[in-house]
């Protein structure tokens, strides 16, 4: 790996590894609780892989007058290339954003969104080619109901093995068919290198199996993966 790989280079390399391998590496590093709740799913189905740096946005259920959420727009205006917009805040039954906000995030160069809440306009977001993983879908807008109150702050997302996973600005988010996981910023490169090695090992095992090697023989040769 180059001495100082760019965010874009790191992101492209993460797109070539699986969340399952990243989870195994994190286990080996003593970080067993970085997996996010299985409720996080691609919306729409087939939305594509999610990889990038966490740009955190926090909100809460707050009745307010009609007219939009100025803080939400300010937060989205700060997104940049290779960012994942990470939305948190215990919204109940409402969507945090829809097609138009997704267009704005994509225009800013964001690589996708991870939403601990709801989204809408799934058909149009799918056509936009902007990968989104969220907990639920909802037609009900957030205006008058849910409001952004901070961004670029630590947030706590629903976890897989613990109740909440802390995600800091600059942590790395990876999500695919198996689910979503958060990689602490200080471990991003170390985890990537180890996951790439594990991925290469799995590719070698698949090739051997296709050539007739039995699973028992493959495990004897390569060890557990």
């Amino acid at each position: 790996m180059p001495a100082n790989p760019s965010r874009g280079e790191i992101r492209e390399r993460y797109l070539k590894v699986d969340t399952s391998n990243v989870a195994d590496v994190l286990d080996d590093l003593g970080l067993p609780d970085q997996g996010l709740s299985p409720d996080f799913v691609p919306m729409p189905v087939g939305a594509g892989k999610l990889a990038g740096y966490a740009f955190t946005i926090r909100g809460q259920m707050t009745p307010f007058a009609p007219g939009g959420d100025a803080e939400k727009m300010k937060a989205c205006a700060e997104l940049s290339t290779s960012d994942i917009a990470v939305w948190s805040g215990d919204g109940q039954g409402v969507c945090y954003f829809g097609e138009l906000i997704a267009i704005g995030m994509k225009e800013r160069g964001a690589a996708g969104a991870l939403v601990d809440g709801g989204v809408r306009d799934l058909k149009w977001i799918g056509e936009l080619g902007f990968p989104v993983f969220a907990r639920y879908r909802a037609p009900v807008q957030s205006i008058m109901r849910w409001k952004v109150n901070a961004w670029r702050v630590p947030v706590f997302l629903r976890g897989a093995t613990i109740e909440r996973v802390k995600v800091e600005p600059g942590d790395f988010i990876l999500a695919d068919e198996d689910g979503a996981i958060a990689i602490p910023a200080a471990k991003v490169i170390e985890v990537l290198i180890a996951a790439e090695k594990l991925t290469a090992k799995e590719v070698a095992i698949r090739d051997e199996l296709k050539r007739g090697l039995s699973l028992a023989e493959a495990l004897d040769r390569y060890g557990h993966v």
Side-chain angles (χ1 to χ4, degrees):
M1 176 175 288
N4 293 296
S6 69
R7 282 162 45 106
E9 290 169 337
I10 291 171
R11 177 177 177 274
E12 287 301 317
R13 289 173 65 173
Y14 262 107
L15 284 169
K16 298 175 183 177
V17 301
D18 298 333
T19 54
S20 57
N21 285 341
V22 167
D24 290 353
V25 169
L26 288 168
D27 277 351
D28 291 341
L29 294 176
L31 295 166
D33 297 315
Q34 296 302 120
L36 301 179
S37 169
D39 292 342
F40 287 95
V41 295
M43 293 198 181
V45 174
K49 199 166 185 175
L50 195 64
Y53 291 85
F55 181 100
T56 58
I57 301 171
R58 189 186 70 200
Q60 66 185 60
M61 296 299 288
T62 303
F64 63 99
D69 183 348
E71 297 300 289
K72 179 190 292 186
M73 303 312 295
K74 289 178 184 177
C76 290
E78 294 185 16
L79 285 160
S80 61
T81 303
S82 297
D83 281 342
I84 298 294
V86 176
W87 298 71
S88 69
D90 296 327
Q92 300 297 324
V94 302
C95 77
Y96 291 3
F97 67 86
E99 177 194 9
L100 296 182
I101 296 292
I103 289 172
M105 288 190 286
K106 186 175 182 180
E107 287 177 346
R108 297 292 303 173
L114 178 73
V115 188
D116 197 349
V119 293
R120 70 179 185 180
D121 300 332
L122 299 192
K123 174 182 177 181
W124 308 114
I125 289 175
E127 291 188 5
L128 182 62
F130 184 72
V132 174
F133 279 63
R135 283 198 300 109
Y136 61 83
R137 67 197 192 285
V140 180
Q141 67 179 345
S142 61
I143 292 174
M144 301 184 294
R145 302 178 176 92
W146 183 90
K147 188 172 178 55
V148 168
N149 58 28
W151 56 98
R152 296 185 187 270
V153 296
V155 297
F156 294 85
L157 306 183
R158 286 166 176 79
T161 57
I162 57 175
E163 184 176 357
R164 298 281 176 168
V165 176
K166 185 178 183 180
V167 177
E168 300 265 8
D171 287 353
F172 199 91
I173 301 296
L174 186 67
D176 58 18
E177 298 88 346
D178 290 334
I181 198 159
I183 303 133
K187 298 291 184 180
V188 168
I189 291 179
E190 182 180 2
V191 169
L192 175 59
I193 292 171
E196 287 177 329
K197 290 179 180 177
L198 186 53
T199 298
K201 187 177 182 181
E202 288 189 345
V203 169
I205 291 173
R206 292 189 191 104
D207 288 343
E208 293 274 24
L209 292 174
K210 289 177 182 177
R211 287 196 288 266
L213 194 71
S214 72
L215 178 59
E217 290 169 331
L219 291 176
D220 184 60
R221 180 175 300 177
Y222 292 98
H224 172 75
V225 292

